[in-house]
Amino acid sequence: MPTTGARGAAISFSVEKIGDVHLTWENEALREVAENKDEFQIVYFRQSVSSRSPRSPGSMRTSRTKKLASYAKSYLEYLYTDAAQETVAQYGYRPLKPEILAKHADRLPPINLFPITAIAKSWYDAQEKFFGSNGIYDVVSSAPARVASAHPRRKTKTP
């Protein structure tokens, strides 16, 4: 049965030693490398999708939910302070403030981030497009493997 979720995939890869490459969220990759000294390395792409989602307390109808909305609003206001952004960076997430991100460039190197809407209508659409039935992952993983020849005059062959 396939593993679901980022943490389950991380356990399959780093603990159970299943697979050669693990594509995961940056904070998970940083945690895996820290927990498995000298065993793994992180390879960064030049660009990647930004996983930031809009945050809003929303509209509330009752006095109880209004109080909860007040807490949510306070949390969101705190989330963008320097102290919170510093904590975000320490846990392997990219802070929004450029000066704090720059302080952590050794662990969070510069990469070009783009929104999910650059490649799909929404996160759900991207999930279907890439991992749904007959999605890009299915098509690519079922294609015949190609082995490149080390000899310069030999063509690449399909096993």
Side-chain angles (χ1 to χ4, degrees):
M1 175 173 220
T3 302
T4 60
R7 186 55 56 94
I11 290 168
S12 293
F13 181 73
S14 62
V15 176
E16 298 171 7
K17 309 298 185 209
I18 299 172
D20 297 316
V21 174
H22 181 205
L23 296 176
T24 190
W25 300 107
E26 185 173 28
N27 66 303
E28 285 290 327
L30 289 164
R31 184 191 54 74
E32 286 176 41
V33 168
E35 290 177 0
N36 297 278
K37 300 278 187 228
D38 301 323
E39 194 171 345
F40 302 126
Q41 69 176 2
I42 298 175
V43 176
Y44 282 93
F45 297 104
R46 289 189 185 110
Q47 56 185 10
S48 184
V49 66
S50 171
S51 63
R52 293 187 184 119
S53 58
R55 289 164 176 81
S56 169
S59 61
M60 304 294 155
R61 293 186 183 176
T62 68
S63 61
R64 181 171 185 266
T65 54
K66 285 181 183 176
K67 186 170 184 159
L68 292 174
S70 163
Y71 293 144
K73 184 177 184 219
S74 295
Y75 166 75
L76 290 174
E77 288 170 357
Y78 171 73
L79 188 60
Y80 299 100
T81 66
D82 288 354
Q85 290 291 293
E86 186 64 42
T87 300
V88 162
Q90 290 171 8
Y91 281 92
Y93 296 94
R94 290 183 173 265
L96 295 173
K97 294 190 169 195
E99 63 277 9
I100 295 175
L101 179 59
K103 285 174 39 181
H104 296 273
D106 60 324
R107 291 181 59 232
L108 302 167
I111 54 176
N112 179 32
L113 296 173
F114 56 86
I116 194 67
T117 54
I119 58 171
K121 294 176 196 163
S122 64
W123 279 100
Y124 176 79
D125 181 49
Q127 177 76 19
E128 287 301 307
K129 183 177 181 178
F130 288 90
F131 302 106
S133 179
N134 205 27
I136 293 170
Y137 179 79
D138 281 354
V139 171
V140 170
S141 62
S142 65
R146 297 179 56 85
V147 179
S149 171
H151 193 279
R153 289 183 291 218
R154 289 194 183 142
K155 294 184 178 182
T156 300
K157 46 186 168 173
T158 304

